[in-house]
Amino acid sequence: MKTLNLIKAALVGLAALGATPTGAFAEKLRVMTGAPSGVLNVPMNRAVVVESDEPFAEISIANAAIADISTLSERSIYVLGRAPGMTTMTLLAPDGSLITNVQVQVTPDVTEFKERLRQIMPNESIEVRTANDGIVLSGTISSAIMMNRAIELAERYAPNRVSNMMNIGGTQQVMLKVRFAEMSRSVSKDLSAALGVDYSAGSASGTTSLGPSMTGDGLGQLMIGGAIGNTQLAIAIEALEEKGVVRTLAEPNLTALSGQQAKFLAGGEYPIPVRDNDGVSINYKPFGVELEFTPRVVNGDQINLEMRAAVSGVDSSVNYTVDGFTLNSFKRRETSTTVELRDGQSFAIAGLLQDDFEDLVGQVPWLGDIPVLGALFRSTDYTRRQSELVIIVTPHLVTPVNGMALSLPTDRVKIPTEGELFLFGKTYGGTTAPKTGAAAEVAKQDFSGSYGYVME
């Protein structure tokens, strides 16, 4: 039985081999003649000196690319780690007999790596271990961005050999609140006048109309007529003004795990016929409120948000007829962007202020240019449309709660009895305060006026 004692790396030997000493390393091995010894662990780019109680005459290394060896004396061996991996070092006695086979395992230098981690991320609890020829990272880290930084640093010490077993602490679920708000206003004014003459003289008679034709449905029309001898005169005046206001408001909410995509659609699907070689098939186009986003919690309460939001609806004012099918057009407001903000902060990610103006004058040539009287031979249309659209997003970090703490729109609604429905005309039952559940908690609060889900 012979013993190999490992001591600190020799600085002179390191300088001779071009290695830079970054720390000390020592280990003891127990050697049995003719049998393999224990494993000698050597950090990469570091060296150890092995001393033997029995002089050796020859040493060899199976893979010089993993570890480099040289003799310092007949009892001392200098071992330098070159690349991660495992190889075998063989020692032979002067008579040619085998002293021992030493398994040399070269691992990444985690000592320096740990020191760099403490300097760069002092507040993170990261555990570093070696496994075969790689580095294993474990523990709990504060955010995904810190995890990526730790992995990037580990790749410098063990390229393509880093195993990530770290967990991200804190809240990693994001609820996104999106508000679509749109206001549209339109004003149109029409003023038309026409002069009609009906005459008869002997056997000659005729009717003449001067001015634009009336296109209205009778609303806002005024007819004035009279007769001069056999000639009848008629003046038709049409004046019409239309005003309209439209408000569109949608507030979809959606929750997703950090790094995972979530989709939301509240609306429907519109059938569209498509002609192909087999006849006519039906494709469906979705419409309504659409939301698609991917949140990433990058650092604490900082959220990177990649999203696409749209509001669409069927526009029945514009129709198309194709192969006997009447199709409607669609109105669609859509945005796609990537923003970064903190928990509870808001961004107006899209806005549109549109002001369209249009006027049209139709007249009888030359007669419509006559001052004052020319108004009888003109038709004037005036249209102005204004719209404003704003899309605001607000992310929140959320955690699961007990189901009893969540209320539903139906919690306060009770089906009416037959007496309440037929005798009193109530479409919903009495509003007796609930005794249990989230609705009971809401009922305990003192509210004045309407609250909750109200439909007018």
Side-chain angles (χ1 to χ4, degrees), residues 337-385:
T337 185
T338 301
V339 295
E340 195 166 284
L341 62 171
R342 296 189 179 275
D343 177 23
Q345 293 182 334
S346 298
F347 255 133
I349 63 170
L352 173 66
L353 179 62
Q354 188 172 356
D355 191 349
D356 298 331
F357 170 78
E358 178 183 353
D359 58 7
L360 178 64
V361 177
Q363 66 178 24
V364 177
W366 302 295
L367 295 180
D369 296 329
I370 301 175
V372 183
L373 293 179
L376 298 176
F377 308 99
R378 287 197 303 264
S379 174
T380 305
D381 297 332
Y382 166 85
T383 304
R384 188 173 185 181
R385 292 178 294 271

mmCIF file of all heavy atoms in Angstrom, residues 337-385:
data_model
loop_
_atom_site.group_PDB
_atom_site.id
_atom_site.type_symbol
_atom_site.label_atom_id
_atom_site.label_comp_id
_atom_site.label_asym_id
_atom_site.label_seq_id
_atom_site.Cartn_x
_atom_site.Cartn_y
_atom_site.Cartn_z
ATOM 1 N N THR A 337 -47.375 45.940 -30.798
ATOM 2 C CA THR A 337 -46.219 46.669 -30.292
ATOM 3 C C THR A 337 -45.570 45.894 -29.158
ATOM 4 O O THR A 337 -46.104 44.882 -28.683
ATOM 5 C CB THR A 337 -46.637 48.070 -29.794
ATOM 6 O OG1 THR A 337 -45.472 48.803 -29.407
ATOM 7 C CG2 THR A 337 -47.569 47.965 -28.614
ATOM 8 N N THR A 338 -44.414 46.382 -28.713
ATOM 9 C CA THR A 338 -43.702 45.849 -27.555
ATOM 10 C C THR A 338 -43.303 47.017 -26.664
ATOM 11 O O THR A 338 -42.657 47.956 -27.133
ATOM 12 C CB THR A 338 -42.448 45.060 -27.973
ATOM 13 O OG1 THR A 338 -42.830 43.974 -28.820
ATOM 14 C CG2 THR A 338 -41.733 44.500 -26.759
ATOM 15 N N VAL A 339 -43.719 46.969 -25.418
ATOM 16 C CA VAL A 339 -43.409 48.034 -24.465
ATOM 17 C C VAL A 339 -42.867 47.407 -23.186
ATOM 18 O O VAL A 339 -42.967 46.198 -22.975
ATOM 19 C CB VAL A 339 -44.647 48.898 -24.151
ATOM 20 C CG1 VAL A 339 -45.107 49.663 -25.387
ATOM 21 C CG2 VAL A 339 -45.781 48.040 -23.611
ATOM 22 N N GLU A 340 -42.293 48.260 -22.332
ATOM 23 C CA GLU A 340 -41.759 47.815 -21.054
ATOM 24 C C GLU A 340 -42.191 48.807 -19.988
ATOM 25 O O GLU A 340 -41.963 50.015 -20.129
ATOM 26 C CB GLU A 340 -40.230 47.713 -21.117
ATOM 27 C CG GLU A 340 -39.631 46.930 -19.958
ATOM 28 C CD GLU A 340 -38.186 46.551 -20.203
ATOM 29 O OE1 GLU A 340 -37.939 45.615 -20.996
ATOM 30 O OE2 GLU A 340 -37.304 47.208 -19.606
ATOM 31 N N LEU A 341 -42.803 48.312 -18.944
ATOM 32 C CA LEU A 341 -43.309 49.164 -17.883
ATOM 33 C C LEU A 341 -43.407 48.360 -16.600
ATOM 34 O O LEU A 341 -43.237 47.138 -16.595
ATOM 35 C CB LEU A 341 -44.653 49.773 -18.262
ATOM 36 C CG LEU A 341 -45.855 48.868 -18.524
ATOM 37 C CD1 LEU A 341 -47.102 49.728 -18.664
ATOM 38 C CD2 LEU A 341 -45.725 48.043 -19.801
ATOM 39 N N ARG A 342 -43.691 49.064 -15.499
ATOM 40 C CA ARG A 342 -43.727 48.414 -14.202
ATOM 41 C C ARG A 342 -45.157 48.070 -13.803
ATOM 42 O O ARG A 342 -46.122 48.510 -14.431
ATOM 43 C CB ARG A 342 -43.070 49.299 -13.141
ATOM 44 C CG ARG A 342 -41.582 49.523 -13.403
ATOM 45 C CD ARG A 342 -40.902 50.217 -12.230
ATOM 46 N NE ARG A 342 -39.483 50.405 -12.491
ATOM 47 C CZ ARG A 342 -38.555 49.492 -12.266
ATOM 48 N NH1 ARG A 342 -38.900 48.320 -11.766
ATOM 49 N NH2 ARG A 342 -37.283 49.727 -12.526
ATOM 50 N N ASP A 343 -45.254 47.290 -12.745
ATOM 51 C CA ASP A 343 -46.560 46.843 -12.256
ATOM 52 C C ASP A 343 -47.448 48.042 -11.965
ATOM 53 O O ASP A 343 -47.086 48.941 -11.204
ATOM 54 C CB ASP A 343 -46.346 46.008 -10.993
ATOM 55 C CG ASP A 343 -47.659 45.556 -10.387
ATOM 56 O OD1 ASP A 343 -48.659 45.503 -11.115
ATOM 57 O OD2 ASP A 343 -47.685 45.264 -9.180
ATOM 58 N N GLY A 344 -48.641 48.062 -12.571
ATOM 59 C CA GLY A 344 -49.609 49.110 -12.324
ATOM 60 C C GLY A 344 -49.458 50.342 -13.185
ATOM 61 O O GLY A 344 -50.350 51.195 -13.195
ATOM 62 N N GLN A 345 -48.354 50.476 -13.915
ATOM 63 C CA GLN A 345 -48.189 51.619 -14.798
ATOM 64 C C GLN A 345 -48.968 51.405 -16.088
ATOM 65 O O GLN A 345 -49.271 50.279 -16.468
ATOM 66 C CB GLN A 345 -46.711 51.850 -15.107
ATOM 67 C CG GLN A 345 -45.898 52.296 -13.913
ATOM 68 C CD GLN A 345 -44.436 52.560 -14.271
ATOM 69 O OE1 GLN A 345 -43.909 51.994 -15.224
ATOM 70 N NE2 GLN A 345 -43.790 53.422 -13.510
ATOM 71 N N SER A 346 -49.266 52.519 -16.766
ATOM 72 C CA SER A 346 -50.080 52.448 -17.991
ATOM 73 C C SER A 346 -49.370 53.150 -19.126
ATOM 74 O O SER A 346 -48.593 54.087 -18.926
ATOM 75 C CB SER A 346 -51.457 53.099 -17.760
ATOM 76 O OG SER A 346 -52.179 52.417 -16.769
ATOM 77 N N PHE A 347 -49.677 52.664 -20.328
ATOM 78 C CA PHE A 347 -49.183 53.261 -21.557
ATOM 79 C C PHE A 347 -50.354 53.429 -22.518
ATOM 80 O O PHE A 347 -51.188 52.535 -22.642
ATOM 81 C CB PHE A 347 -48.135 52.370 -22.236
ATOM 82 C CG PHE A 347 -46.729 52.853 -22.084
ATOM 83 C CD1 PHE A 347 -45.722 51.977 -21.710
ATOM 84 C CD2 PHE A 347 -46.391 54.162 -22.341
ATOM 85 C CE1 PHE A 347 -44.413 52.408 -21.570
ATOM 86 C CE2 PHE A 347 -45.097 54.610 -22.205
ATOM 87 C CZ PHE A 347 -44.107 53.728 -21.814
ATOM 88 N N ALA A 348 -50.410 54.584 -23.160
ATOM 89 C CA ALA A 348 -51.317 54.744 -24.301
ATOM 90 C C ALA A 348 -50.539 54.296 -25.531
ATOM 91 O O ALA A 348 -49.733 55.041 -26.088
ATOM 92 C CB ALA A 348 -51.769 56.193 -24.435
ATOM 93 N N ILE A 349 -50.763 53.061 -25.934
ATOM 94 C CA ILE A 349 -49.930 52.470 -26.979
ATOM 95 C C ILE A 349 -50.402 52.830 -28.378
ATOM 96 O O ILE A 349 -49.680 52.594 -29.346
ATOM 97 C CB ILE A 349 -49.862 50.937 -26.834
ATOM 98 C CG1 ILE A 349 -51.254 50.331 -27.007
ATOM 99 C CG2 ILE A 349 -49.266 50.553 -25.507
ATOM 100 C CD1 ILE A 349 -51.237 48.822 -27.109
ATOM 101 N N ALA A 350 -51.608 53.354 -28.506
ATOM 102 C CA ALA A 350 -52.113 53.707 -29.831
ATOM 103 C C ALA A 350 -53.126 54.828 -29.688
ATOM 104 O O ALA A 350 -53.880 54.880 -28.714
ATOM 105 C CB ALA A 350 -52.743 52.499 -30.533
ATOM 106 N N GLY A 351 -53.117 55.739 -30.641
ATOM 107 C CA GLY A 351 -54.082 56.834 -30.647
ATOM 108 C C GLY A 351 -54.317 57.307 -32.068
ATOM 109 O O GLY A 351 -53.418 57.263 -32.911
ATOM 110 N N LEU A 352 -55.529 57.751 -32.317
ATOM 111 C CA LEU A 352 -55.873 58.213 -33.662
ATOM 112 C C LEU A 352 -56.879 59.342 -33.544
ATOM 113 O O LEU A 352 -57.929 59.191 -32.912
ATOM 114 C CB LEU A 352 -56.467 57.070 -34.494
ATOM 115 C CG LEU A 352 -57.027 57.462 -35.866
ATOM 116 C CD1 LEU A 352 -55.908 57.949 -36.782
ATOM 117 C CD2 LEU A 352 -57.764 56.304 -36.502
ATOM 118 N N LEU A 353 -56.556 60.475 -34.135
ATOM 119 C CA LEU A 353 -57.487 61.593 -34.242
ATOM 120 C C LEU A 353 -57.693 61.855 -35.722
ATOM 121 O O LEU A 353 -56.760 62.221 -36.430
ATOM 122 C CB LEU A 353 -56.928 62.841 -33.553
ATOM 123 C CG LEU A 353 -57.816 64.092 -33.620
ATOM 124 C CD1 LEU A 353 -59.136 63.830 -32.925
ATOM 125 C CD2 LEU A 353 -57.111 65.291 -32.993
ATOM 126 N N GLN A 354 -58.912 61.630 -36.186
ATOM 127 C CA GLN A 354 -59.216 61.712 -37.607
ATOM 128 C C GLN A 354 -60.332 62.718 -37.824
ATOM 129 O O GLN A 354 -61.346 62.708 -37.128
ATOM 130 C CB GLN A 354 -59.633 60.334 -38.134
ATOM 131 C CG GLN A 354 -59.780 60.268 -39.645
ATOM 132 C CD GLN A 354 -60.008 58.846 -40.116
ATOM 133 O OE1 GLN A 354 -59.987 57.921 -39.323
ATOM 134 N NE2 GLN A 354 -60.226 58.683 -41.399
ATOM 135 N N ASP A 355 -60.112 63.618 -38.798
ATOM 136 C CA ASP A 355 -61.093 64.663 -39.114
ATOM 137 C C ASP A 355 -61.244 64.707 -40.630
ATOM 138 O O ASP A 355 -60.339 65.160 -41.343
ATOM 139 C CB ASP A 355 -60.617 66.006 -38.563
ATOM 140 C CG ASP A 355 -61.709 67.069 -38.619
ATOM 141 O OD1 ASP A 355 -62.740 66.821 -39.269
ATOM 142 O OD2 ASP A 355 -61.516 68.147 -38.027
ATOM 143 N N ASP A 356 -62.379 64.215 -41.138
ATOM 144 C CA ASP A 356 -62.640 64.173 -42.576
ATOM 145 C C ASP A 356 -63.692 65.221 -42.934
ATOM 146 O O ASP A 356 -64.712 65.353 -42.248
ATOM 147 C CB ASP A 356 -63.157 62.783 -42.993
ATOM 148 C CG ASP A 356 -62.132 61.696 -42.730
ATOM 149 O OD1 ASP A 356 -60.932 62.009 -42.774
ATOM 150 O OD2 ASP A 356 -62.538 60.553 -42.462
ATOM 151 N N PHE A 357 -63.414 65.939 -43.992
ATOM 152 C CA PHE A 357 -64.319 66.991 -44.448
ATOM 153 C C PHE A 357 -64.575 66.796 -45.935
ATOM 154 O O PHE A 357 -63.665 66.512 -46.712
ATOM 155 C CB PHE A 357 -63.702 68.372 -44.198
ATOM 156 C CG PHE A 357 -64.451 69.500 -44.854
ATOM 157 C CD1 PHE A 357 -65.612 69.990 -44.298
ATOM 158 C CD2 PHE A 357 -63.998 70.057 -46.044
ATOM 159 C CE1 PHE A 357 -66.308 71.031 -44.904
ATOM 160 C CE2 PHE A 357 -64.682 71.083 -46.658
ATOM 161 C CZ PHE A 357 -65.837 71.573 -46.086
ATOM 162 N N GLU A 358 -65.848 66.941 -46.316
ATOM 163 C CA GLU A 358 -66.208 66.744 -47.721
ATOM 164 C C GLU A 358 -67.384 67.647 -48.060
ATOM 165 O O GLU A 358 -68.375 67.706 -47.315
ATOM 166 C CB GLU A 358 -66.580 65.282 -47.960
ATOM 167 C CG GLU A 358 -67.015 64.972 -49.385
ATOM 168 C CD GLU A 358 -67.439 63.533 -49.557
ATOM 169 O OE1 GLU A 358 -67.260 62.751 -48.596
ATOM 170 O OE2 GLU A 358 -67.963 63.197 -50.637
ATOM 171 N N ASP A 359 -67.283 68.389 -49.152
ATOM 172 C CA ASP A 359 -68.436 69.126 -49.664
ATOM 173 C C ASP A 359 -68.545 68.913 -51.169
ATOM 174 O O ASP A 359 -67.542 68.721 -51.850
ATOM 175 C CB ASP A 359 -68.371 70.615 -49.317
ATOM 176 C CG ASP A 359 -67.115 71.276 -49.849
ATOM 177 O OD1 ASP A 359 -66.363 70.609 -50.591
ATOM 178 O OD2 ASP A 359 -66.866 72.444 -49.513
ATOM 179 N N LEU A 360 -69.766 68.923 -51.650
ATOM 180 C CA LEU A 360 -70.044 68.611 -53.052
ATOM 181 C C LEU A 360 -71.148 69.542 -53.548
ATOM 182 O O LEU A 360 -72.169 69.720 -52.887
ATOM 183 C CB LEU A 360 -70.481 67.151 -53.188
ATOM 184 C CG LEU A 360 -70.856 66.670 -54.590
ATOM 185 C CD1 LEU A 360 -69.650 66.729 -55.515
ATOM 186 C CD2 LEU A 360 -71.435 65.259 -54.534
ATOM 187 N N VAL A 361 -70.905 70.122 -54.707
ATOM 188 C CA VAL A 361 -71.872 71.029 -55.326
ATOM 189 C C VAL A 361 -72.202 70.502 -56.711
ATOM 190 O O VAL A 361 -71.304 70.279 -57.530
ATOM 191 C CB VAL A 361 -71.332 72.468 -55.420
ATOM 192 C CG1 VAL A 361 -72.334 73.368 -56.147
ATOM 193 C CG2 VAL A 361 -71.044 73.008 -54.028
ATOM 194 N N GLY A 362 -73.502 70.264 -56.952
ATOM 195 C CA GLY A 362 -73.980 69.886 -58.277
ATOM 196 C C GLY A 362 -74.948 70.942 -58.783
ATOM 197 O O GLY A 362 -75.836 71.384 -58.041
ATOM 198 N N GLN A 363 -74.799 71.359 -60.029
ATOM 199 C CA GLN A 363 -75.628 72.458 -60.527
ATOM 200 C C GLN A 363 -75.856 72.330 -62.022
ATOM 201 O O GLN A 363 -75.158 71.577 -62.719
ATOM 202 C CB GLN A 363 -74.967 73.803 -60.219
ATOM 203 C CG GLN A 363 -73.652 74.014 -60.972
ATOM 204 C CD GLN A 363 -73.038 75.370 -60.679
ATOM 205 O OE1 GLN A 363 -73.312 75.963 -59.649
ATOM 206 N NE2 GLN A 363 -72.222 75.863 -61.599
ATOM 207 N N VAL A 364 -76.863 73.089 -62.485
ATOM 208 C CA VAL A 364 -77.101 73.210 -63.925
ATOM 209 C C VAL A 364 -76.080 74.202 -64.481
ATOM 210 O O VAL A 364 -75.902 75.287 -63.920
ATOM 211 C CB VAL A 364 -78.532 73.701 -64.201
ATOM 212 C CG1 VAL A 364 -78.751 73.895 -65.701
ATOM 213 C CG2 VAL A 364 -79.549 72.724 -63.625
ATOM 214 N N PRO A 365 -75.374 73.855 -65.558
ATOM 215 C CA PRO A 365 -74.356 74.774 -66.082
ATOM 216 C C PRO A 365 -74.939 76.158 -66.358
ATOM 217 O O PRO A 365 -76.075 76.304 -66.839
ATOM 218 C CB PRO A 365 -73.894 74.078 -67.359
ATOM 219 C CG PRO A 365 -74.211 72.635 -67.151
ATOM 220 C CD PRO A 365 -75.459 72.611 -66.336
ATOM 221 N N TRP A 366 -74.139 77.161 -66.052
ATOM 222 C CA TRP A 366 -74.433 78.581 -66.235
ATOM 223 C C TRP A 366 -75.573 79.070 -65.348
ATOM 224 O O TRP A 366 -75.439 80.091 -64.683
ATOM 225 C CB TRP A 366 -74.767 78.895 -67.713
ATOM 226 C CG TRP A 366 -73.645 78.499 -68.614
ATOM 227 C CD1 TRP A 366 -72.397 79.009 -68.677
ATOM 228 C CD2 TRP A 366 -73.709 77.472 -69.585
ATOM 229 N NE1 TRP A 366 -71.648 78.376 -69.620
ATOM 230 C CE2 TRP A 366 -72.430 77.419 -70.219
ATOM 231 C CE3 TRP A 366 -74.701 76.589 -70.026
ATOM 232 C CZ2 TRP A 366 -72.130 76.536 -71.236
ATOM 233 C CZ3 TRP A 366 -74.400 75.718 -71.038
ATOM 234 C CH2 TRP A 366 -73.121 75.679 -71.629
ATOM 235 N N LEU A 367 -76.678 78.326 -65.299
ATOM 236 C CA LEU A 367 -77.789 78.800 -64.481
ATOM 237 C C LEU A 367 -77.439 78.767 -62.984
ATOM 238 O O LEU A 367 -77.893 79.611 -62.212
ATOM 239 C CB LEU A 367 -79.037 77.954 -64.730
ATOM 240 C CG LEU A 367 -79.639 78.028 -66.136
ATOM 241 C CD1 LEU A 367 -80.860 77.134 -66.234
ATOM 242 C CD2 LEU A 367 -79.997 79.469 -66.494
ATOM 243 N N GLY A 368 -76.626 77.765 -62.593
ATOM 244 C CA GLY A 368 -76.265 77.684 -61.193
ATOM 245 C C GLY A 368 -75.319 78.769 -60.754
ATOM 246 O O GLY A 368 -75.130 78.991 -59.553
ATOM 247 N N ASP A 369 -74.700 79.502 -61.692
ATOM 248 C CA ASP A 369 -73.772 80.570 -61.343
ATOM 249 C C ASP A 369 -74.457 81.917 -61.178
ATOM 250 O O ASP A 369 -73.804 82.913 -60.825
ATOM 251 C CB ASP A 369 -72.687 80.691 -62.433
ATOM 252 C CG ASP A 369 -71.834 79.422 -62.509
ATOM 253 O OD1 ASP A 369 -71.659 78.778 -61.448
ATOM 254 O OD2 ASP A 369 -71.342 79.090 -63.611
ATOM 255 N N ILE A 370 -75.754 81.994 -61.466
ATOM 256 C CA ILE A 370 -76.483 83.247 -61.321
ATOM 257 C C ILE A 370 -76.586 83.593 -59.841
ATOM 258 O O ILE A 370 -76.975 82.740 -59.030
ATOM 259 C CB ILE A 370 -77.881 83.157 -61.953
ATOM 260 C CG1 ILE A 370 -77.771 82.820 -63.446
ATOM 261 C CG2 ILE A 370 -78.672 84.443 -61.734
ATOM 262 C CD1 ILE A 370 -79.104 82.586 -64.113
ATOM 263 N N PRO A 371 -76.237 84.776 -59.426
ATOM 264 C CA PRO A 371 -76.356 85.151 -58.011
ATOM 265 C C PRO A 371 -77.786 84.997 -57.520
ATOM 266 O O PRO A 371 -78.740 85.304 -58.237
ATOM 267 C CB PRO A 371 -75.887 86.602 -57.973
ATOM 268 C CG PRO A 371 -75.034 86.758 -59.201
ATOM 269 C CD PRO A 371 -75.645 85.871 -60.240
ATOM 270 N N VAL A 372 -77.932 84.521 -56.289
ATOM 271 C CA VAL A 372 -79.202 84.351 -55.582
ATOM 272 C C VAL A 372 -80.107 83.343 -56.294
ATOM 273 O O VAL A 372 -80.413 82.274 -55.784
ATOM 274 C CB VAL A 372 -79.944 85.698 -55.390
ATOM 275 C CG1 VAL A 372 -81.235 85.466 -54.590
ATOM 276 C CG2 VAL A 372 -79.049 86.706 -54.696
ATOM 277 N N LEU A 373 -80.562 83.671 -57.513
ATOM 278 C CA LEU A 373 -81.452 82.753 -58.225
ATOM 279 C C LEU A 373 -80.752 81.449 -58.589
ATOM 280 O O LEU A 373 -81.412 80.435 -58.835
ATOM 281 C CB LEU A 373 -81.994 83.432 -59.488
ATOM 282 C CG LEU A 373 -82.936 84.622 -59.266
ATOM 283 C CD1 LEU A 373 -83.367 85.216 -60.603
ATOM 284 C CD2 LEU A 373 -84.164 84.180 -58.466
ATOM 285 N N GLY A 374 -79.431 81.471 -58.659
ATOM 286 C CA GLY A 374 -78.705 80.247 -59.002
ATOM 287 C C GLY A 374 -78.885 79.147 -57.965
ATOM 288 O O GLY A 374 -78.664 77.969 -58.254
ATOM 289 N N ALA A 375 -79.281 79.502 -56.727
ATOM 290 C CA ALA A 375 -79.508 78.476 -55.703
ATOM 291 C C ALA A 375 -80.629 77.523 -56.082
ATOM 292 O O ALA A 375 -80.707 76.396 -55.582
ATOM 293 C CB ALA A 375 -79.812 79.139 -54.364
ATOM 294 N N LEU A 376 -81.539 77.994 -56.986
ATOM 295 C CA LEU A 376 -82.624 77.121 -57.428
ATOM 296 C C LEU A 376 -82.146 76.034 -58.379
ATOM 297 O O LEU A 376 -82.897 75.106 -58.681
ATOM 298 C CB LEU A 376 -83.711 77.962 -58.110
ATOM 299 C CG LEU A 376 -84.398 79.011 -57.229
ATOM 300 C CD1 LEU A 376 -85.384 79.827 -58.067
ATOM 301 C CD2 LEU A 376 -85.111 78.354 -56.057
ATOM 302 N N PHE A 377 -80.944 76.175 -58.870
ATOM 303 C CA PHE A 377 -80.412 75.215 -59.847
ATOM 304 C C PHE A 377 -79.169 74.499 -59.315
ATOM 305 O O PHE A 377 -78.373 73.985 -60.080
ATOM 306 C CB PHE A 377 -80.079 75.946 -61.160
ATOM 307 C CG PHE A 377 -81.216 76.764 -61.693
ATOM 308 C CD1 PHE A 377 -81.264 78.143 -61.476
ATOM 309 C CD2 PHE A 377 -82.243 76.159 -62.388
ATOM 310 C CE1 PHE A 377 -82.315 78.891 -61.971
ATOM 311 C CE2 PHE A 377 -83.295 76.910 -62.893
ATOM 312 C CZ PHE A 377 -83.343 78.283 -62.675
ATOM 313 N N ARG A 378 -79.005 74.496 -57.952
ATOM 314 C CA ARG A 378 -77.834 73.847 -57.352
ATOM 315 C C ARG A 378 -78.261 72.846 -56.287
ATOM 316 O O ARG A 378 -79.335 72.966 -55.690
ATOM 317 C CB ARG A 378 -76.905 74.883 -56.705
ATOM 318 C CG ARG A 378 -76.125 75.738 -57.666
ATOM 319 C CD ARG A 378 -74.954 76.406 -56.965
ATOM 320 N NE ARG A 378 -75.370 77.214 -55.823
ATOM 321 C CZ ARG A 378 -75.573 78.528 -55.901
ATOM 322 N NH1 ARG A 378 -75.413 79.170 -57.050
ATOM 323 N NH2 ARG A 378 -75.936 79.201 -54.822
ATOM 324 N N SER A 379 -77.352 71.890 -56.057
ATOM 325 C CA SER A 379 -77.500 70.935 -54.950
ATOM 326 C C SER A 379 -76.183 70.928 -54.188
ATOM 327 O O SER A 379 -75.111 70.689 -54.768
ATOM 328 C CB SER A 379 -77.819 69.536 -55.475
ATOM 329 O OG SER A 379 -77.812 68.609 -54.408
ATOM 330 N N THR A 380 -76.237 71.180 -52.896
ATOM 331 C CA THR A 380 -75.032 71.308 -52.072
ATOM 332 C C THR A 380 -75.074 70.278 -50.949
ATOM 333 O O THR A 380 -76.073 70.178 -50.228
ATOM 334 C CB THR A 380 -74.926 72.723 -51.472
ATOM 335 O OG1 THR A 380 -74.991 73.687 -52.526
ATOM 336 C CG2 THR A 380 -73.627 72.877 -50.705
ATOM 337 N N ASP A 381 -73.997 69.533 -50.839
ATOM 338 C CA ASP A 381 -73.852 68.530 -49.777
ATOM 339 C C ASP A 381 -72.622 68.870 -48.944
ATOM 340 O O ASP A 381 -71.550 69.148 -49.491
ATOM 341 C CB ASP A 381 -73.698 67.124 -50.340
ATOM 342 C CG ASP A 381 -74.927 66.678 -51.113
ATOM 343 O OD1 ASP A 381 -76.017 67.168 -50.777
ATOM 344 O OD2 ASP A 381 -74.774 65.862 -52.039
ATOM 345 N N TYR A 382 -72.759 68.780 -47.629
ATOM 346 C CA TYR A 382 -71.669 69.060 -46.697
ATOM 347 C C TYR A 382 -71.606 67.919 -45.687
ATOM 348 O O TYR A 382 -72.616 67.552 -45.074
ATOM 349 C CB TYR A 382 -71.912 70.388 -45.983
ATOM 350 C CG TYR A 382 -71.038 70.613 -44.765
ATOM 351 C CD1 TYR A 382 -69.767 71.135 -44.890
ATOM 352 C CD2 TYR A 382 -71.520 70.303 -43.489
ATOM 353 C CE1 TYR A 382 -68.980 71.344 -43.766
ATOM 354 C CE2 TYR A 382 -70.737 70.514 -42.371
ATOM 355 C CZ TYR A 382 -69.468 71.026 -42.509
ATOM 356 O OH TYR A 382 -68.681 71.234 -41.401
ATOM 357 N N THR A 383 -70.425 67.336 -45.551
ATOM 358 C CA THR A 383 -70.249 66.215 -44.621
ATOM 359 C C THR A 383 -68.947 66.396 -43.860
ATOM 360 O O THR A 383 -67.917 66.723 -44.452
ATOM 361 C CB THR A 383 -70.220 64.867 -45.364
ATOM 362 O OG1 THR A 383 -71.410 64.727 -46.131
ATOM 363 C CG2 THR A 383 -70.110 63.712 -44.374
ATOM 364 N N ARG A 384 -69.006 66.154 -42.542
ATOM 365 C CA ARG A 384 -67.802 66.195 -41.713
ATOM 366 C C ARG A 384 -67.875 65.063 -40.689
ATOM 367 O O ARG A 384 -68.879 64.880 -40.013
ATOM 368 C CB ARG A 384 -67.670 67.527 -40.993
ATOM 369 C CG ARG A 384 -66.333 67.676 -40.264
ATOM 370 C CD ARG A 384 -66.155 69.064 -39.698
ATOM 371 N NE ARG A 384 -64.830 69.222 -39.104
ATOM 372 C CZ ARG A 384 -64.399 70.336 -38.519
ATOM 373 N NH1 ARG A 384 -65.198 71.409 -38.473
ATOM 374 N NH2 ARG A 384 -63.189 70.396 -37.995
ATOM 375 N N ARG A 385 -66.776 64.293 -40.618
ATOM 376 C CA ARG A 385 -66.700 63.165 -39.698
ATOM 377 C C ARG A 385 -65.446 63.311 -38.842
ATOM 378 O O ARG A 385 -64.350 63.509 -39.379
ATOM 379 C CB ARG A 385 -66.683 61.840 -40.467
ATOM 380 C CG ARG A 385 -67.976 61.520 -41.187
ATOM 381 C CD ARG A 385 -67.871 60.220 -41.953
ATOM 382 N NE ARG A 385 -66.896 60.337 -43.042
ATOM 383 C CZ ARG A 385 -67.191 60.739 -44.261
ATOM 384 N NH1 ARG A 385 -68.437 61.079 -44.564
ATOM 385 N NH2 ARG A 385 -66.250 60.816 -45.198
#
